[in-house]
Amino acid sequence: MFKTLVCVVLLTVPATAMAEDAVKRLDSAAGVLSEVMSAPDRGIPLDLLSRASCIVIVPSMKGAAFVVGAKYGKGFISCRKGAEWSAPGAVRVEGGSFGFQIGGQDTDVVMLVMNGRGAQHLLSGQFTLGGEGSVAAGPVGRASTAQTDPSMHAEILSWSRNHGIFAGIAFQGATLRQDLGDNAEMYGQPYRNKQIVDGNIQWPKSGTELESILRKYAFRAGEQRRKS
């Protein structure tokens, strides 16, 4: 019965999520990243961003009010290419262990992929968080305590924001897969995420704001790292 209920939720929630197209979702992702990074005492440490291989942003992840782990969200992945960031590839996040959900809530999710192995996992087409690679709750604040915190050895660090509260949270068992439909909407072709990230595909015009914010905070992160 429980498995049936979860399946029904995951089949019905996507219909709601589809109401917001990829273009609007890019704007939402840019807004999430800007708001998170503009609060240095409560955001993602810049030194972590400076070392990250990729970033994943899932704005307004949907939650079900009456089941455990029934979640669904659509967002984007962008990976570092030298001093620049790749064009975004669309992703879907489904299911996973988030603890008991008292009420249905929308949650913004941000993940940093900290090494090449983690990036390869996420660009493989489908990836289970916590199953094929280590995922840990990311620290919040100006500095990362990377020298003492064992979670800094994780391939992926993750955070969530709900009702203005931003905190590190480890997603276990959630499936992250590429969304070829949204990629086709953005680029006119159903590119695979690996083609987008590793190729010479240009940022879509709808992603200009997100690209600008990534450049802005990556630059600040680099400056901070050079001064330290």
Side-chain angles (χ1 to χ4, degrees):
M1 177 66 181
F2 174 75
K3 290 184 177 179
T4 301
L5 187 58
V6 172
C7 289
V8 169
V9 172
L10 291 179
L11 286 173
T12 55
V13 174
T16 303
M18 287 292 287
E20 183 184 56
D21 60 24
V23 172
K24 292 180 180 178
R25 206 172 301 113
L26 277 168
D27 286 338
S28 297
V32 168
L33 184 60
S34 179
E35 291 167 11
V36 165
M37 297 305 299
S38 64
D41 291 325
R42 296 179 289 109
I44 297 173
L46 277 175
D47 60 323
L48 287 181
L49 181 62
S50 73
R51 298 199 304 272
S53 296
C54 305
I55 187 169
V56 178
I57 306 169
V58 183
S60 299
M61 192 164 181
K62 308 298 180 182
F66 47 85
V67 294
V68 176
K71 290 278 189 175
Y72 178 88
K74 301 181 75 173
F76 306 94
I77 180 173
S78 176
C79 295
R80 195 182 297 277
K81 301 182 73 172
E84 301 296 327
W85 289 82
S86 73
V91 297
R92 295 183 181 212
V93 182
E94 299 167 328
S97 175
F98 297 82
F100 186 75
Q101 303 301 314
I102 296 175
Q105 299 175 339
D106 288 357
T107 303
D108 301 320
V109 174
V110 181
M111 304 180 204
L112 290 184
V113 186
M114 301 308 299
N115 54 40
R117 182 179 176 186
Q120 289 178 359
H121 282 150
L122 288 184
L123 295 174
S124 64
Q126 182 167 312
F127 171 69
T128 301
L129 296 169
E132 301 163 69
S134 58
V135 183
V140 175
R142 292 180 180 274
S144 71
T145 69
Q147 304 303 317
T148 58
D149 192 337
S151 71
M152 293 305 100
H153 297 293
E155 292 181 0
I156 301 171
L157 299 174
S158 53
W159 295 261
S160 69
R161 185 181 67 165
N162 182 274
H163 295 301
I165 299 174
F166 185 72
I169 185 169
F171 298 108
Q172 298 297 324
T175 299
L176 190 150
R177 59 189 175 90
Q178 61 191 350
D179 191 322
L180 300 182
D182 276 2
N183 284 344
E185 182 180 337
M186 289 190 293
Y187 301 106
Q189 297 287 339
Y191 291 123
R192 299 179 66 83
N193 284 351
K194 188 172 179 59
Q195 290 177 283
I196 296 171
V197 168
D198 292 344
N200 295 316
I201 295 176
Q202 300 298 308
W203 276 78
K205 290 183 178 180
S206 53
T208 300
E209 184 177 359
L210 178 58
E211 181 185 19
S212 175
I213 293 169
L214 275 172
R215 284 181 172 179
K216 172 183 176 180
Y217 285 103
F219 175 78
R220 288 187 183 180
E223 287 291 295
Q224 183 184 82
R225 193 173 184 183
R226 284 188 287 272
K227 291 177 181 178
S228 61

